[in-house]
Amino acid sequence: MDWYQIVLETIDMRSFSNLWFWIALAVTWSSASHWVIGVPFDMVGRARRHGGQAARDLEDVVRINVNRLLYIAEETGLWAVAIGSALLSALAVSGFVYRIELSQALFLLAFPMSLVGLLSVATAARIRGEALCGPDLWKKLSSHRFWIQVIGMLSIFVTALWGMFQNMSYTALGG
């Protein structure tokens, strides 16, 4: 048996049976729920508990990130949506029509994250439009985080089901 065969038997190169894919999925959703509109969520808790300087710091960081996010959306919004849609479409077609497992895995990571991106832009616009601060801002950031976590749980659930189906199909076909 040559070294290439040993490596391929030791490290399964398929996405859904690869430990690194599942680690990447967990890290992606953990990071997405911690960094709400680019702001670490622990700052919200600190602002709630202590108020004062912690609340002012949170409002400053939120203001900076909201302005940054909306500037990017205003400047590149149409192009970002067009290119993002094209990439997601290419991943969906190559993954689910042509059965390329890597494309399936990347689509199942990227599509829900694109929803989080759209939700973040909408939340940033609302924060700036309503000039939210104090408890109203904390509530909005908490609500935003909740919906990110809902999207994440659904994404992990669907990805796990699809991954199990792929792994069982691969095994049933004698792979």
Side-chain angles (χ1 to χ4, degrees), residues 14-29:
R14 297 178 314 113
S15 299
F16 295 111
S17 60
N18 192 324
L19 178 62
W20 291 108
F21 170 74
W22 296 105
I23 291 172
L25 183 71
V27 168
T28 297
W29 286 110

Side-chain angles (χ1 to χ4, degrees), residues 68-86 114 117-118 121:
R68 181 179 153 271
L69 185 60
L70 292 177
Y71 174 78
I72 291 169
E74 290 165 0
E75 293 294 317
T76 65
L78 184 60
W79 283 102
V81 169
I83 292 170
S85 297
S114 68
L118 293 173
V121 171

Side-chain angles (χ1 to χ4, degrees), residues 87-155:
L87 288 173
L88 286 173
S89 297
L91 286 173
V93 169
S94 64
F96 299 104
V97 174
Y98 294 108
R99 300 217 166 274
I100 298 172
E101 192 171 314
L102 178 61
S103 296
Q104 294 171 2
L106 291 174
F107 178 82
L108 291 170
L109 274 170
F111 177 71
M113 287 306 294
S114 68
L115 298 178
V116 169
L118 293 173
L119 181 65
S120 295
V121 171
T123 300
R126 186 163 178 204
I127 288 171
R128 185 163 74 181
E130 296 177 11
L132 296 179
C133 61
D136 292 334
L137 176 63
W138 309 337
K139 184 178 178 183
K140 187 64 186 163
L141 291 173
S142 296
S143 171
H144 180 70
R145 183 181 192 217
F146 171 78
W147 288 111
I148 288 174
Q149 289 174 331
V150 167
I151 293 169
M153 286 187 297
L154 290 172
S155 171

